[in-house]
C-alpha cells in the first residue's frame, strides 16, 4: 500500500509550486509523483476544444514522460477511456479507486470539473486515503487551472497583438495610398496645362518618378494601323529623364506589351524579374506594365520598376498604378477628343474623391479610438470626458472633493501671427510637456482641451491644493521663457488659469463644473492674465 500521507502531498506541492508554465508544471508533477510513490502509469486529462472533449495533457509510463502543450486529442491507446471518465464523473465522485490500484482524481475549480488525473499504482490502494487524496486533488487543480488560464490569456493576447498589427499595417497602407492619390491628382492637374503632347509626356514621366513610389518609368505609344510600338520619354539606369523617341519595335516582338494587350490586362506586375534598359538586362526587381486604352483600342503602355532603390512592392501599388494608367489614358485621349477627355477626367476625379472619402473615414475612425493628442502627446478631450465621468461618480459616492483647472495660453493668436503656426505648435508642445510634469499624484489627469487650452482634473483635491497646483503650473510655464514679443503681459509666453472645486451631489453636474472653471478663467484673464483664480 502506498504511503500517501500529508507529507507526500507537501512534497508534491513543494516540487511543482515553483514551476513557471504548464509544461514544466506537468513534467514536475509526473516526476515528483513517480519519485515518492510506486507508480506504473500516469495520465493527466483536461477538457478542451469547442466541444469540451477530453484531451491528453500528460502521459507517463515506465518513467517515460510525455507532455503535450497544448493538449492533444484523446488517445484510444490510453489506459483510461473517455467513457470511463464520464461515467465516473456522472457518479459525482471526486476520487475513485478502480480495480484496487487504478486511481481517478477529479480536478475541479469552483465546482466545475476541467480535468482528471488517472494514476495506476504497482500495489493496491487503501480507500481510507480519500482525505489525503482530496487535499492533493485540490492543490493540483488550483495550480493547473492557474497555468491553463495563463496560457489561454497569453494565447489570446498573441492573437490580439497579431490582429492589431495587421490592422495597423492596413491603416498605414491606406494612409500611403491616400497620399499617393493626392499626388497623382496634382500630377493630373499639371498635365492638363501641358501645351503639347510632347510636353505632356515629358511632364508625366518627370513628375511621376519624383513623387510616386517607383524609381523608373517609360511611356510607349501604339500605332494600331502599323502595329509599331514607339518610345516617348523614359528614365535611364540613373533615373534621369531622357528622350526615347528613337526606340521603335513591332508589338509582336515585345513580350510584355503583347502579353498585356492580348490578354486585355490593365496591369501586370512581376516580382524578382530581370529589369531591362535598351533591351539589355540591367538588374533584378519588380516591374509593372500598365496598358493604356481608348475604349476597346490599345493606345500605349507604361513601364515602371524599382531598379535604383530596390523599394519593395507595396500593397497599394496595384491600385495606384491602375489609376496612373487611367490618368495617362485620359490625357492622351484629350489630345484627340476634348469632349471625351472631360468625361474621363470626371470619372477619375470621382474615383479619387471616393477613395479619398473612404480613407478619410478610416482616419476618422482611427482618431476616434485614439486617446492621445497627436501634437502634444498628452491625453485628449475624449480621455478627459471618460476620466471625468469616472471620477465624478467616485467623488459623489465617497463625498470627496473634485477640482478642475482650465488653462489658457495668453495671447496665443498673436503668438501664431508673429511666429507662424509651426512655432505655435512647438510652443504648445513645450507648454504641454512642462504642465504634464506639474502634478503626478495618482488619479490626476492633464489633458489638452482644444486649441491652446488644457485641463487638470484633480480627484480628491480641495480648493487650497488646487490653488497650489495652479501656482506651480504658472511657474512651470514662466521657467520655459518662450519669447512672445507681441504679448502685453510679458516678453515670454504666459498662461491664465481658472479653477473650481466641488463635492458632487445629485443636484450638481459635470457641465456646471466646466462652466464654473471657465468663469474663473475669465476672472483670471480680467485680472491681467498670467495668474490663477480658483473658486
Amino acid at each position: 500500500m502506498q504511503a500517501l500521507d500529508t507529507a507526500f502531498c507537501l512534497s508534491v506541492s513543494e516540487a511543482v509550486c515553483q514551476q513557471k508554465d504548464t509544461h514544466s508544471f506537468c513534467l514536475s508533477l509526473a516526476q515528483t509523483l513517480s519519485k515518492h510513490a510506486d507508480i506504473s502509469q500516469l495520465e493527466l486529462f483536461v477538457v478542451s476544444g469547442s466541444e469540451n472533449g477530453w484531451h491528453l495533457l500528460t502521459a507517463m509510463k515506465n518513467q517515460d514522460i510525455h507532455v503535450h502543450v497544448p493538449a492533444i486529442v484523446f488517445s484510444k491507446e490510453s489506459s483510461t477511456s473517455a467513457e470511463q471518465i464520464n461515467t465516473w464523473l456522472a457518479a459525482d465522485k471526486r476520487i475513485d479507486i478502480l480495480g484496487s490500484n487504478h486511481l481517478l482524481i477529479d480536478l475541479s475549480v469552483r465546482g466545475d470539473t476541467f480535468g482528471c488525473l488517472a494514476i495506476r499504482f504497482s500495489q493496491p490502494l487503501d480507500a481510507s486515503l480519500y482525505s489525503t487524496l482530496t487535499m492533493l486533488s485540490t492543490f493540483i487543480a488550483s495550480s493547473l487551472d492557474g497555468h491553463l488560464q495563463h496560457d489561454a490569456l497569453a494565447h489570446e493576447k498573441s492573437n490580439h497583438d497579431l490582429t492589431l498589427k495587421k490592422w495597423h499595417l492596413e491603416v498605414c497602407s491606406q494612409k500611403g495610398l491616400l497620399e499617393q492619390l493626392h499626388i497623382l491628382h496634382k500630377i493630373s492637374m499639371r498635365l492638363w496645362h501641358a501645351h503639347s503632347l510632347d510636353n505632356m509626356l515629358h511632364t508625366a514621366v518627370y513628375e511621376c518618378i519624383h513623387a510616386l513610389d517607383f524609381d523608373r518609368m517609360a511611356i510607349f505609344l501604339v500605332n494600331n494601323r502599323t502595329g509599331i510600338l514607339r518610345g516617348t520619354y523614359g528614365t535611364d539606369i540613373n533615373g534621369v529623364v531622357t528622350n526615347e523617341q528613337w526606340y521603335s519595335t513591332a508589338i509582336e516582338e515585345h513580350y510584355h506589351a503583347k502579353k498585356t494587350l492580348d490578354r486585355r490586362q490593365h496591369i501586370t506586375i512581376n516580382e524578382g524579374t530581370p529589369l531591362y534598359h535598351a533591351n539589355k538586362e540591367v538588374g533584378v526587381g519588380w516591374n509593372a506594365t500598365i496598358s493604356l486604352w481608348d475604349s476597346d483600342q490599345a493606345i500605349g503602355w507604361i513601364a515602371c520598376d524599382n531598379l535604383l532603390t530596390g523599394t519593395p512592392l507595396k500593397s497599394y501599388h496595384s491600385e495606384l498604378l491602375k489609376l496612373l494608367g487611367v490618368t495617362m489614358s485620359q490625357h492622351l485621349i484629350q489630345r484627340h477628343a476634348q469632349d471625351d477627355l472631360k468625361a474621363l477626367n470626371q470619372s477619375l476625379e470621382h474615383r479619387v474623391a471616393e477613395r479619398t472619402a473612404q480613407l478619410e473615414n478610416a482616419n476618422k475612425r482611427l482618431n476616434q479610438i485614439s486617446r492621445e493628442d497627436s501634437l502634444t502627446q498628452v491625453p485628449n478631450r475624449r480621455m478627459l470626458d471618460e476620466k471625468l465621468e469616472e471620477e465624478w461618480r467616485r467623488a459623489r459616492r465617497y463625498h470627496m472633493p473634485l477640482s478642475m483647472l482650465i488653462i489658457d495660453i495668453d495671447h496665443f493668436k498673436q503668438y501664431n501671427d508673429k511666429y507662424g503656426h509651426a512655432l505655435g505648435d512647438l510652443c504648445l508642445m513645450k507648454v504641454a510637456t512642462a504642465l504634464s510634469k506639474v502634478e503626478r499624484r495618482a488619479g490626476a489627469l492633464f489633458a489638452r482641451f482644444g486649441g491652446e487650452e488644457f485641463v487638470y482634473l484633480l480627484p480628491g483635491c480641495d480648493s487650497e491644493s488646487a490653488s497650489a497646483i495652479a501656482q506651480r503650473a504658472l511657474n512651470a510655464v514662466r521657467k520655459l521663457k518662450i519669447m512672445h514679443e507681441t504679448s502685453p503681459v510679458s516678453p515670454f509666453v504666459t498662461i491664465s488659469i481658472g479653477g473650481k472645486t466641488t463635492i458632487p451631489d445629485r443636484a450638481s453636474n459635470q457641465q456646471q463644473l466646466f462652466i464654473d472653471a471657465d468663469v474663473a478663467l475669465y476672472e483670471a484673464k480680467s485680472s491681467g492674465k498670467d495668474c490663477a483664480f480658483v473658486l
Side-chain angles (χ1 to χ4, degrees):
M1 184 167 58
Q2 306 298 319
L4 303 181
D5 53 14
T6 302
F8 169 75
C9 293
L10 292 176
S11 64
V12 174
S13 170
E14 182 179 359
V16 301
C17 69
Q18 57 186 339
Q19 305 306 319
K20 302 299 183 182
D21 53 49
T22 303
H23 185 279
S24 58
F25 171 86
C26 294
L27 186 63
S28 177
L29 177 65
Q31 291 173 340
T32 305
L33 289 176
S34 63
K35 177 180 178 181
H36 293 280
D38 191 7
I39 296 174
S40 61
Q41 190 169 352
L42 177 146
E43 292 170 316
L44 178 58
F45 304 96
V46 293
V47 177
S48 180
S50 59
E51 299 179 357
N52 289 331
W54 289 102
H55 285 59
L56 180 63
L57 186 61
T58 306
M60 183 187 76
K61 187 174 183 180
N62 298 327
Q63 305 302 316
D64 187 16
I65 303 173
H66 297 278
V67 178
H68 307 283
V69 179
I72 62 175
V73 178
F74 197 96
S75 174
K76 294 182 179 180
E77 299 178 357
S78 173
S79 62
T80 305
S81 66
E83 292 78 8
Q84 190 175 22
I85 296 175
N86 290 330
T87 301
W88 166 59
L89 291 176
D92 198 22
K93 295 181 179 181
R94 290 203 61 190
I95 300 173
D96 201 3
I97 300 176
L98 307 176
S100 77
N101 68 338
H102 191 185
L103 179 66
L104 292 179
I105 300 176
D106 169 49
L107 302 179
S108 59
V109 175
R110 296 175 293 277
D112 294 329
T113 297
F114 72 92
C116 174
L117 180 62
I119 306 176
R120 192 177 294 275
F121 294 88
S122 300
Q123 299 179 14
L125 293 169
D126 190 340
S128 65
L129 300 172
Y130 276 11
S131 61
T132 301
L133 294 175
T134 299
M135 180 171 61
L136 180 63
S137 69
T138 300
F139 168 74
I140 293 174
S142 61
S143 298
L144 178 58
D145 179 66
H147 285 296
L148 293 177
Q149 293 292 341
H150 182 271
D151 289 349
L153 180 62
H155 180 71
E156 183 67 22
K157 183 179 183 301
S158 176
N159 289 339
H160 173 75
D161 291 344
L162 180 60
T163 301
L164 189 63
K165 182 179 180 181
K166 291 181 179 179
W167 173 80
H168 179 70
L169 290 175
E170 178 63 24
V171 171
C172 291
S173 176
Q174 290 179 342
K175 286 184 176 179
L177 178 56
L178 176 61
E179 293 172 358
Q180 293 286 287
L181 289 177
H182 280 306
I183 293 172
L184 180 58
H185 184 68
K186 292 179 180 179
I187 293 174
S188 177
M189 294 299 101
R190 292 190 180 99
L191 296 182
W192 278 108
H193 300 290
H195 54 77
S196 66
L197 176 61
D198 185 81
N199 177 251
M200 184 192 75
L201 294 169
H202 181 276
T203 300
V205 174
Y206 181 86
E207 295 288 346
C208 287
I209 64 170
H210 284 86
L212 299 181
D213 278 344
F214 46 79
D215 297 342
R216 297 198 308 159
M217 173 178 167
I219 301 177
F220 301 85
L221 298 180
V222 174
N223 188 323
N224 288 283
R225 182 174 54 83
T226 62
I228 297 297
L229 185 72
R230 71 173 182 86
T232 60
Y233 286 92
T235 46
D236 60 20
I237 57 175
N238 297 313
V240 178
V241 179
T242 60
N243 188 323
E244 297 181 344
Q245 294 180 10
W246 54 267
Y247 178 82
S248 66
T249 183
I251 296 178
E252 298 291 332
E253 297 176 2
H254 200 289
Y255 173 75
H256 287 299
K258 186 176 186 305
K259 177 182 176 182
T260 302
L261 298 178
D262 286 350
R263 296 184 180 182
R264 303 193 62 77
Q265 293 174 308
H266 288 281
I267 182 172
T268 57
I269 299 177
N270 302 293
E271 296 188 71
T273 189
L275 304 179
Y276 293 90
H277 183 76
N279 292 329
K280 294 181 180 180
E281 185 175 341
V282 292
V284 176
W286 65 261
N287 69 7
T289 303
I290 308 103
S291 57
L292 307 176
W293 299 87
D294 179 2
S295 187
D296 294 332
Q297 188 175 50
I299 57 176
W301 60 281
I302 301 173
C304 304
D305 64 38
N306 66 335
L307 173 67
L308 302 178
T309 63
T311 302
L313 197 68
K314 295 183 172 62
S315 60
Y316 57 75
H317 262 125
S318 176
E319 192 66 24
L320 176 66
L321 293 174
K322 286 180 183 178
L323 289 175
L324 174 60
V326 172
T327 302
M328 286 306 305
S329 295
Q330 289 176 336
H331 288 289
L332 287 171
I333 294 170
Q334 185 265 344
R335 294 297 164 177
H336 303 290
Q338 184 66 37
D339 293 339
D340 291 343
L341 174 63
K342 184 178 178 180
L344 290 173
N345 189 61
Q346 290 174 345
S347 174
L348 172 66
E349 291 178 348
H350 174 74
R351 292 180 65 182
V352 171
E354 185 178 50
R355 183 55 57 88
T356 300
Q358 292 174 355
L359 294 178
E360 288 176 347
N361 288 335
N363 288 334
K364 288 179 181 178
R365 290 195 298 271
L366 179 63
N367 291 331
Q368 288 171 356
I369 64 171
S370 173
R371 300 165 66 87
E372 184 180 85
D373 180 60
S374 60
L375 175 64
T376 60
Q377 306 300 307
V378 300
N380 59 12
R381 175 67 181 273
R382 177 186 177 189
M383 187 170 181
L384 172 65
D385 291 341
E386 294 176 357
K387 186 69 172 177
L388 177 58
E389 179 71 27
E390 175 186 342
E391 295 298 341
W392 185 272
R393 290 197 303 267
R394 182 180 290 111
R396 190 171 70 178
R397 185 182 309 119
Y398 296 107
H399 303 289
M400 295 290 291
L402 178 64
S403 295
M404 174 179 288
L405 300 177
I406 299 180
I407 302 165
D408 185 77
I409 300 177
D410 297 328
H411 301 290
F412 190 68
K413 181 181 184 302
Q414 290 87 331
Y415 186 93
N416 271 335
D417 293 341
K418 170 68 176 178
Y419 300 104
H421 289 282
L423 288 181
D425 288 346
L426 182 60
C427 174
L428 285 172
M429 289 188 286
K430 289 181 179 179
V431 170
T433 300
L435 293 178
S436 66
K437 298 176 181 178
V438 168
E439 180 58 27
R440 299 271 191 171
R441 75 176 67 185
L445 176 72
F446 174 71
R448 186 180 181 187
F449 190 67
E452 65 271 22
E453 287 190 330
F454 300 89
V455 171
Y456 282 115
L457 183 63
L458 305 169
C461 184
D462 58 20
S463 179
E464 182 178 351
S465 298
S467 297
I469 294 170
Q471 288 301 319
R472 296 207 306 271
L474 290 169
N475 292 331
V477 174
R478 291 166 184 158
K479 289 179 181 179
L480 293 176
K481 292 189 178 299
I482 302 173
M483 291 300 301
H484 191 348
E485 298 175 356
T486 57
S487 172
V489 178
S490 166
F492 304 105
V493 169
T494 60
I495 59 174
S496 296
I497 304 176
K500 170 66 177 177
T501 300
T502 185
I503 297 179
D505 54 30
R506 294 184 180 275
S508 60
N509 58 66
Q510 302 164 24
Q511 186 62 32
Q512 189 61 45
L513 179 60
F514 272 109
I515 294 172
D516 292 343
D518 196 53
V519 169
L521 176 62
Y522 178 81
E523 291 294 332
K525 285 189 171 291
S526 298
S527 299
K529 303 182 175 61
D530 191 21
C531 63
F533 188 86
V534 179
L535 296 173

